[in-house]
Amino acid sequence: MSLPPEKASELKQLIHQQLSKMDVHGRIREILAETIREELAPDQQQLSTEDLIKALRRRGIIDDVMKELNFVTDNVDQELPSSPKQPVCFTDRQSTLLKKSDGTRMADSTTMLSISDPVHMVLIKTDIFAETTLVASYFLEWRSVLGSENGVTSLTVELMGVGTESKVSVGILNIKLEMYPPLSQTLSQEVVNTQLALERQKTAEKERLFLVYAKQWWREYLQIRPSHNSRLVKIFAQDENGINRPVCSYVKPLRAGRLLDTPRQAARFVNVLGYERAPVIGGGGKQEQWCTLLAFLCRNKGDCEDHANLLCSLLLGYGLEAFVCVGTKAKGVPHAWVMTCGTDGTITFWESLTGHRYIHKPINPDEPPAAEQPKPLYPYKTVGCVFNHQMFLGNCQPSDSVESCVFDLNDESKWKPMSEEAVKSVCAPGATTSLPPFPPLCASTIDASVTSNEIEMQLRLLVSEHRKDLGLTTVWEDQLSYLLSPALAAYEFERTTSISAGNEEFQDAIRRAVPDGHTFKGFPIHFVYRNARRAFATCLRSPFCEEIICCRGDQVRLAVRVRVFTYPESACAVWIMFACKYRSVL
């Protein structure tokens, strides 16, 4: 039974998480080292696959994995009852074990030669403050191993920098590729080289034809109205390696599996990923650099286009009709955001940097001045084009002002579309010019409770030292600190759902905890990083927070509470609340 790509991706993600939880890789490495040390003869140069499997079976690793990986089978082709009154029930079925393959079902070398997706490798540098920097991004053509003897080959690749340094070498990487289990029959190197050459030729021709079409489309777009030349119509964008790619290739439907439950939670996840503009050397305008999804997720930060592409991909995965919008904000600053089109015609803007949502209601420029017009709450000023993985449309309305735009994308008098066939030729899954399939999101490796306690203890120490330098004593009240937890949970819930809840209980608890004649002050603040010292320095820049931390008076009691909310890819939202209560003497 074959699985659709999204199901296969979700299955891989679940297996990977389970194997990581069991630390299977670490146990295999230990057994491999023991076997080589204890059982390998001095004259034997390498351990055979058979010996390794025997060692793993003898130590119970394979049996452990088989016990953990249980898959429930069901008849997916069975027709479902259409009656809404039919009760839904879940039946406990005999589970089917995932059996170890004996190698006979593995794809042969000819089939594997047709898999054109490269291996995407990303090199990240992390400093002592946990700040990440993208060093290199490389697409490895792995199929040379199919024509090597014994299914083993070694490669030496030169890694180049990213962005403005994409022509500068950052180092040499030695790679050893090995097929496991070994292929029963290898191909000749000539066959492999011929296949790769044909693919390069086919790719170059597709790219050439799309470029010719894009130029023709742009000429037609300018003939509609010469002023279109000043609109932000982005057909191509450079990736981190300085390669021009069609913008549609940066977006693909992405399913989050069990890691994110709702589109709004997905928007919150994208929002907590760090924002960083592409670095610019010297003066001038904004540096042009869009990131591939893997590079963006590995460094956990990126520009507004990276956030918008990821959010659009996730919303498409949830079955929404989503598009990335390219335009400007106030003062003509270029910006990208996401738009969804409801079945009832409702247009919703999603700001990927904040998680905010806005309903778009266009104003009618033909209405008399006295007529009441909707006041836009969104920060967007103009829109030049919208796109997703299948469509690209240029705004050809008389004005590109967002507040007066009508987002009826089927009306070609308002939106000039590109040929979907042309977009598909270079952006569809399996197209040799498109980016590799998006990697599945990884579950967070952060322990929320432990991390919250660590940051809280560090902040207590920093506050005590700061007050000591001012000649003040510090008395912490644990109960007051604990009472701040519901407020932090409510703030995160509101950020995710736009619904405020739980504030009444929090206020009632605080009133009971603060005696008559005492004053309570609290200051909540939100971060997307876990550096306590950096967060404390930021808090001190707020006069209100500094007033709490440096509080003077009679019977001063201080409190601080930290709550870390984790998201996929080790992204997190960190909420901190400083509070104090003291006896009023005036």
Side-chain angles (χ1 to χ4, degrees), residues 267-506:
R268 178 58 173 157
F269 158 59
V270 176
N271 160 222
V272 299
L273 293 170
Y275 170 65
E276 180 182 78
R277 296 184 62 177
V280 179
I281 299 178
K286 176 184 175 183
Q287 175 67 30
E288 175 65 35
Q289 178 186 313
W290 291 24
C291 270
T292 55
L293 181 65
L294 182 63
F296 175 40
L297 292 177
C298 284
R299 66 174 182 158
N300 259 351
K301 58 185 175 183
D303 213 332
C304 62
E305 295 89 357
D306 304 324
H307 287 78
N309 289 335
L310 175 56
L311 178 56
C312 183
S313 299
L314 287 167
L315 296 183
L316 287 168
Y318 281 109
L320 301 180
E321 187 181 11
F323 297 85
V324 175
C325 301
V326 178
T328 62
K329 293 196 299 184
K331 301 181 180 178
V333 177
H335 191 62
W337 65 97
V338 179
M339 171 185 77
T340 54
C341 305
T343 54
D344 60 353
T346 302
I347 300 298
T348 306
F349 293 147
W350 302 65
E351 177 49 58
S352 56
L353 295 180
T354 63
H356 293 161
R357 299 165 65 255
Y358 309 94
I359 303 298
H360 173 65
K361 294 181 180 178
I363 64 172
N364 187 353
D366 298 327
E367 288 281 346
E372 187 177 353
Q373 298 276 20
K375 295 181 180 179
L377 301 175
Y378 44 79
Y380 318 120
K381 297 301 178 184
T382 65
V383 56
C385 65
V386 301
F387 67 88
N388 61 17
H389 63 303
Q390 295 176 327
M391 301 172 66
F392 182 95
L393 303 106
N395 183 3
C396 54
Q397 297 173 64
S399 171
D400 62 351
S401 173
V402 176
E403 62 181 14
S404 61
C405 273
V406 175
F407 288 90
D408 181 3
L409 303 183
N410 295 318
D411 188 344
E412 295 192 11
S413 68
K414 295 181 172 61
W415 295 92
K416 178 173 173 57
M418 271 193 173
S419 162
E420 290 191 25
E421 286 300 315
V423 172
K424 185 179 179 181
S425 69
V426 290
C427 299
T432 51
T433 54
S434 68
L435 290 165
F438 285 176
L441 296 179
C442 293
S444 178
T445 58
I446 300 171
D447 188 317
S449 299
V450 171
T451 307
S452 299
N453 287 334
E454 288 175 352
I455 297 175
E456 192 170 306
M457 291 302 105
Q458 292 171 22
L459 288 175
R460 283 197 176 199
L461 184 61
L462 290 168
V463 170
S464 298
E465 289 176 350
H466 185 75
R467 288 176 60 85
K468 184 178 179 181
D469 292 340
L470 298 175
L472 301 172
T473 58
T474 305
V475 180
W476 295 100
E477 186 172 316
D478 292 339
Q479 176 62 13
L480 184 60
S481 297
Y482 180 73
L483 295 183
L484 304 178
S485 294
L488 301 184
Y491 297 149
E492 181 63 19
F493 182 76
E494 185 175 0
R495 285 290 182 97
T496 304
T497 64
S498 302
I499 299 171
S500 179
N503 194 43
E504 299 83 0
E505 294 88 348
F506 167 68

Side-chain angles (χ1 to χ4, degrees), residues 39-189:
E39 302 179 14
L40 201 61
D43 58 337
Q44 200 174 346
Q45 294 299 316
Q46 57 182 347
L47 190 69
S48 70
T49 304
E50 242 180 77
D51 292 336
L52 178 57
I53 294 296
K54 285 179 182 177
L56 293 176
R57 193 185 297 281
R58 193 164 54 247
R59 286 165 173 79
I61 299 295
I62 292 177
D63 290 338
D64 289 347
V65 172
M66 290 301 102
K67 288 175 185 174
E68 289 293 332
L69 296 181
N70 291 317
F71 295 85
V72 178
T73 59
D74 201 355
N75 184 5
V76 295
D77 298 326
Q78 185 178 354
E79 188 177 345
L80 296 177
S82 58
S83 172
K85 297 179 181 179
Q86 183 72 22
V88 178
C89 61
F90 297 89
T91 306
D92 187 17
R93 290 180 172 85
Q94 180 70 27
S95 62
T96 303
L97 291 179
L98 179 68
K99 296 181 180 178
K100 182 177 74 69
S101 171
D102 56 4
T104 57
R105 296 180 185 174
M106 181 178 172
D108 58 24
S109 52
T110 305
T111 304
M112 297 186 74
L113 185 60
S114 66
I115 302 174
S116 60
D117 295 326
V119 175
H120 190 186
M121 301 186 297
V122 172
L123 181 61
I124 298 291
K125 180 177 70 176
T126 306
D127 62 18
I128 58 173
F129 302 108
E131 288 294 314
T132 57
T133 305
L134 180 62
V135 178
S137 174
Y138 186 82
F139 292 92
L140 174 68
E141 177 51 73
W142 58 273
R143 286 175 289 176
S144 59
V145 72
L146 298 175
S148 60
E149 292 185 13
N150 303 322
V152 180
T153 187
S154 296
L155 303 172
T156 300
V157 298
E158 183 180 19
L159 298 181
M160 310 300 287
V162 296
T164 55
E165 300 177 7
S166 60
K167 305 298 181 185
V168 181
S169 175
V170 297
I172 302 296
L173 182 64
N174 295 318
I175 302 172
K176 181 181 178 182
L177 298 177
E178 180 175 358
M179 293 298 300
Y180 182 80
L183 291 169
S184 56
Q185 183 180 6
T186 59
L187 301 172
S188 69
Q189 199 63 52

